[in-house]
Every structure is written in structure tokens, then in C-alpha cells.
Amino acid sequence: MRAIMGRSVRAGAGPLPGFGPALGLTLTWLSLIVLIPLAAVFVRASGLGADEILAKTFSDRALAAYRLSFGGALIAAAVSSLAGLLIAWVLVRYDFPGRRLADAVVDLPFALPTAVAGIALTALTAPNGLIGAPLAAVGIRIAFTPVGVIVAMVFIGLPFVVRTVQPVLEDLDREVEEAAASLGAGRRQILWRVILPALAPGLSAGFALAFARAVGEYGSVIFIAGNMPGVSEIAPLLIVISLEQYDYAGASAIAAVMLIASFILLLIVNGLDARRRRAMEG
Amino acid sequence: MTRNHDIRPARHLRYIASAALIAATILASSVIAPAKAADVELLNVSYDPTRELYKDVNRAFAAKWQAETGDTLTIRQSHGGSGKQARSVIDGLEADVVTLALAYDIDAIADNGGALRQDWQTALPDNSAPYTSTIVLLVRKGNPKGIKDWDDLLKPGVQVITPNPKTSGGARWNYLAAWGYALDQGRDAAGARDFVKALFANVPVLDSGARGSTTTFVQRGIGDVLLAWENEALLAVNELGPDAFDIVVPSLSILAEPPVAVVDRFVDAHGTRKVAEAYLNFLYTVEGQELAAKHFYRPRNAEVAARHAATFPEVKLFTIDAVFGGWRKVQAEHFNDGGIFDQIVAKK
């Protein structure tokens, strides 16, 4: 690091001083709060031999559970993103009686114990439930199927999207849209060329959060899933099952697989966003 | 964006800060406020359905203990799934006594870290199980599907609700009861396996715990028959009114023995061995047995059992030790990963 007139000229470092201490502090906290606990998972998993880990974590049943957990979480995050964007749009752009109330309601899934959410959703979507009964009459089942799993994941993921998109929307100047309109852009063009690009970072962050939360969700899903092996078992349930057998190493092995897979997927989501941003700037 | 807008967050923060300060003050004062000095404290780590039972037992025993010794006794209770509770003790929850759903969970405490001795089950009479239960069939009022015994559960069109034996200690008894019935019918091991496999083919939902299954059956209206512990079934019938469900007692069932034990390491650390042992022995007294019966557990004491004969019909029972050779063996053969249960429910 060469300093000229007290200011760093290293590429990437901003005009602010104190990069070194700040980075040190960041890494220390990140390690204490996030990385060390997660490292313990890998240490515990190492109690098994490599063969055992492979056999346990890549059995047909485990693979089906990963498919449901990660596939369901991706679908749920996509649904949450779409619905969350609409909700945020309405909350920011329109003034209507009860808007503040609606705004507060968005946060409820954060506060609700997940088991309560699971029981409530199951009661609604069960074949004798308010929503489930008419659907059951036409042969659609939600509770105790993989669809129910996705419903629960959407419920807990939605607030993340609303809360990450909302501030961006609030900062979005109306003038920009008006300028685009005065230059002859149609409504659809304004949406695609002006609004969505500005919202994209918030939306992708919300998507990543909703996805991560849905992958790890246990409490609400367990009531609505039905937990049939190979059909509607989620990966966190396999961890609980291993723990019931006092198989700590096996539980940690499945957790390690989930961690690695989540990390790779989150890296991809963030990487796509970074690429998009570079493309916009470049 | 007016300038007003920029001030608002600051005001918000002030409100939040003052609210936090008030909350912190309340918290701090509650911590500092002197707690009532208790002479002795016991922690009983138990499983889910015993909450009300031990509330009564604790009240009765604390009064008795105070009369005998003059000490004020406070008994704290902790409840949850039996396996989860055992893991808490293994991980260091300082239980003076454990009162769990099955011996395997207490075995696990002995095996993982040795907080109690290997032969803990010989410490108290009757396999250290002061009260027992069995597995019964809960059906909808009037028994529309005409279910009388275990083999009726295999019929096409009968939906059976049971929790998942992989996650629920209680559900393991259900599975073993069906297996034992098949053996009693003269089937060999392979025949018993087919019997249980056919039974589980009729299970549409595997909840992770007993209360979840009861909810599925009772509230969601799913299934024709719920496999349940007798105490849970009696509770369900009493809570929800006898006009909704009937209890069918099968011709043969399993003797469920929820065991109790003093946790050696922690009573020695706390100096509570004497009171912990007296507490567990109290469960075997007539008074303790009456409380067990009141909460729908079958009493061991013959005289108390005779008084409650109306509640607990005669049923032929077999034990896990006699038919299966004990919990450790059962767990390894049937319920561990890759065991018989996994093979049975693997995708057909």
C-alpha cells in the first residue's frame, strides 16, 4: 500500500482511511459468530469415515430430501420474489386506508414461532381445511405433499423480499420514470428498462435471503410435509432423524452437505448479481 | 423527499432507544430482585405427555418432603420429545432425574458420556418403570370401518395414522406392538415384516411426534385409526368429548414401560442424591400410583390397579425384553439407518 498525500491509491480501497483495522474487525466478528460454529459441524462430521459419509449423505432417500429442500426452496424463493415485489410496490406507491397496518402485517412471519405457522398452514390446506376442502373436491392436495412444503417456505420467505425491495423502491425517483415517458417509452418499456434494473440488487438479495431461510426451515414445514420417505421428507428432518439415533456424526455430515450446497448456490446468486451490475456500469 | 423525511429516522431511533432502556431496566430489576431462597432444588427432565402428571406428583412430594425434613423443595420440570430430552442431558443439561418414554433414551445417556451407570434399570423395582401404558387404537365414533384388531389395519381403504418411528420414541412402540402381534399369530420374522410393511403402506402421513399425529387425526380429520399410547388416547377422548372417538383395545399389545432414573453425575454434583431417590420412590407409593392412574398411566401397584379397573381394560401384553431382546438390539435391527423400518418404507 503506497500512500500519497495521506490517501491510499490502492485500487479498490475507497477514500476512507482505516481499511486494515476495519477488515480485521470484520473478519474477527465473522469468524466468531459464523465461521467457528460452522467449522464445528465439519469437525463433528469428520468422526465418520469417508465411505460412511458418502453412504449416508448420498443415499437415495437423502438425495430425494435434498431435491425437495433445495428445489422447493428455489421455487419458493421465486414465488416469494414475485409476490414480494408486488406487495412492496403496492405499499410504496399507493396510499390506501390501512396501509400501515398492512405494512406491519408483512413482518408477522418473522415473529411467529415457526411451529405455529406450520400448524396454521396445515389447518388451512388440509383436506378438511378452509382452502384445502374446495381444492380436495377437484383433486388437488396441498397439505402432506411437496406442494405444502413450498407453501410453508413461501410464507416464511416472503417478508425478506418485501423488506429488501421496499427501501429501494422508496428511493426510486418518479422523475426518472417521467423522463423515460417523455422520451417516448411505453409503460412496459419503463418497467423493463428503468424500474426493474434499479430494483434488481434488492430483489436478488431478497431472493437469496428467502432461499437460504427456506432451505434451513424445519419448524413450519414439518407439520405440513407429511414426511413420507423419498416423497416429502426435507433434509433438515434427516438431520433430526440421525440425532434421534444419537448419531451426531451422521447428522453433522448431512448438515455439512447442506452447508456446502447452500454456499455454492448463494455464491452463484451473488455472482450473477455482480455480473449484472458490472454489465450495467461497463 | 423533503427535509422532514431526514429527521424522522432520528426520532424513531430515540423512541426505540428509550423503549430499549425501559425494557433493560425491567429485566435488570427482575434479575436483581432477590429470589425466594429454596433449600433444595431438583430438575426432572421428562417427555411430552407427562407434564400434568408431574405437576401433581411434584406438589404432593414437595409437601411430603417438607413434612418429613423441613426443607423447602422446588422441583423444576422440563418437557419435550424423549430423544431430544436425552440429548439435552448428554450435552450437559444438569438433570437430577430423568423420566423418559423408553429405556433406550436413558441407555443413550449412559452410553454417551456416562452420566449414569450402565445398569441403571436395576436400581428401582419393575424395570425402573413405576407406571406403564400400552398401545391402543383410536377410531372415529361408532367405529365406521369396524376395526377390532391389528389385522384390520391392513385392509385396503383403511388409513392408519402413526408418528414416524425414526423421530418419535412413542411411535417405536406402535411398530413393535404390530410386529409382536404378527409373531403371536404364528408368523415367522419374514411374515411379521410383511405384516408391518402392509400396515405402513396404509399410513398417509408420518408426523414427527405423537402430538403431531394426534392433531392430524383429531383436528385435520385425516385417517380412520390412530395408533396411540393408551394415556394419550384416554386424554384425547376425555378432552374432546367421548362423542367423537372410541378406543379399541386390540387382543394383544405391547407393555410400554416409561422408565425413570437418578442421574448419578448430577445428583452427586448437586448433593441431591437422597431427595432424588426419595422422589422416584414416591412414584411407587400408593399416593404416587394413584396420581399415575389419574393421568391415565397404568399403575404397577395391584391394589391401585384394581381400583381403576374400569379405566384400564384387561389386555394380553408382551414385553420388549421377552419378544425382542431389549431396546439396544431393537434399535440396531429395526430403527437405525438402513434397518428394517427403513427397508419397509423405502419407495415401493
Side-chain angles (χ1 to χ4, degrees), chain A residues 89 93 172-182 185 190 194-195:
Chain A
W89 181 267
R93 285 294 167 95
L172 197 62
D173 273 336
R174 282 287 177 87
E175 284 88 344
V176 179
E177 287 163 58
E178 283 160 13
S182 71
I190 292 176
V194 178
I195 296 174

Side-chain angles (χ1 to χ4, degrees), chain A residues 97-150:
Chain A
R99 189 172 67 94
R100 294 198 147 197
L101 203 65
D103 197 31
V105 166
V106 169
D107 282 335
L108 278 183
F110 281 144
L112 201 63
T114 49
V116 176
I119 289 167
L121 288 170
T122 311
L124 276 177
T125 57
N128 66 350
L130 208 60
I131 300 171
L135 287 173
V138 293
I140 301 173
R141 296 198 45 190
I142 295 180
F144 315 120
T145 68
V147 181
V149 173
I150 292 169

Side-chain angles (χ1 to χ4, degrees), chain B residues 3-345:
Chain B
R3 230 176 329 165
N4 239 341
H5 219 81
D6 303 335
I7 294 170
R8 230 195 336 181
R11 205 185 312 157
H12 272 315
L13 279 180
R14 253 210 327 264
Y15 290 144
I16 291 174
S18 51
L21 204 66
I22 293 166
T25 318
I26 293 170
L27 262 179
S29 61
S30 69
V31 171
I32 296 162
K36 211 172 74 197
D39 294 354
V40 198
E41 205 174 69
L42 275 186
L43 173 60
N44 175 4
V45 170
S46 194
Y47 68 114
D48 266 330
T50 58
R51 198 179 309 262
E52 289 74 24
L53 164 67
Y54 278 110
K55 218 175 265 172
D56 282 2
V57 167
N58 294 350
R59 198 178 307 122
F61 179 72
K64 197 173 156 194
W65 186 254
Q66 184 152 21
E68 278 173 19
T69 65
D71 288 346
T72 332
L73 173 64
T74 315
I75 303 166
R76 290 182 301 135
Q77 295 169 248
S78 158
H79 296 271
S82 190
K84 187 166 86 46
Q85 293 293 80
R87 280 195 303 282
S88 300
V89 177
I90 290 169
D91 293 338
L93 177 65
E94 300 200 352
D96 298 283
V97 297
V98 285
T99 53
L100 296 175
L102 59 165
Y104 180 71
D105 287 330
I106 302 185
D107 283 341
I109 299 173
D111 291 345
N112 297 280
L116 40 73
R117 58 177 195 275
Q118 287 284 335
D119 63 349
W120 60 270
Q121 207 160 359
T122 59
L124 289 161
D126 299 323
N127 265 343
S128 290
Y131 41 79
T132 67
S133 192
T134 184
I135 305 300
V136 297
L137 319 173
L138 192 68
V139 297
R140 308 218 174 263
K141 189 72 204 169
N143 198 352
K145 299 264 170 164
I147 287 158
K148 291 185 219 46
D149 213 342
W150 291 100
D151 28 22
D152 295 325
L153 304 182
L154 276 54
K155 286 181 185 159
V158 172
Q159 284 201 323
V160 184
I161 304 294
T162 169
N164 190 342
K166 301 283 287 188
T167 50
S168 155
R172 286 172 214 159
W173 295 104
N174 300 352
Y175 166 106
L176 294 170
W179 191 286
Y181 172 83
L183 292 178
D184 188 66
Q185 296 289 299
R187 291 167 178 253
D188 59 356
R193 182 190 163 127
D194 292 341
F195 183 90
V196 176
K197 184 174 178 151
L199 194 160
F200 272 91
N202 278 349
V203 176
V205 176
L206 282 170
D207 281 292
S208 55
R211 286 280 155 104
S213 278
T214 307
T215 306
T216 296
F217 183 73
V218 171
Q219 314 285 354
R220 312 274 165 268
I222 290 181
D224 304 303
V225 51
L226 172 75
L227 304 186
W229 284 51
E230 184 178 47
N231 58 304
E232 291 278 289
L234 286 164
L235 195 69
V237 168
N238 276 285
E239 296 267 306
L240 303 155
D243 50 356
F245 304 100
D246 288 331
I247 293 177
V248 173
V249 179
S251 66
L252 171 91
S253 195
I254 194 165
L255 178 70
E257 298 178 299
V260 302
V262 168
V263 186
D264 298 317
R265 178 179 302 158
F266 299 129
V267 291
D268 292 340
H270 304 161
T272 48
R273 179 176 287 279
K274 195 160 148 267
V275 59
E277 282 173 353
Y279 176 63
L280 293 187
N281 279 317
F282 174 76
L283 297 169
Y284 290 86
T285 62
V286 169
E287 194 182 353
Q289 292 282 295
E290 280 289 351
L291 288 174
K294 177 186 153 192
H295 292 280
F296 305 123
Y297 282 98
R298 291 188 173 222
R300 289 278 195 185
N301 178 307
E303 164 202 344
V304 178
R307 268 202 291 275
H308 294 272
T311 316
F312 305 110
E314 279 285 315
V315 53
K316 211 168 96 189
L317 296 168
F318 64 88
T319 67
I320 193 161
D321 294 329
V323 175
F324 295 95
W327 265 113
R328 279 191 174 90
K329 192 158 170 280
V330 165
Q331 182 69 32
E333 272 176 27
H334 291 265
F335 302 123
N336 276 351
D337 278 359
I340 294 172
F341 178 75
D342 277 355
Q343 296 161 26
I344 282 175
V345 294

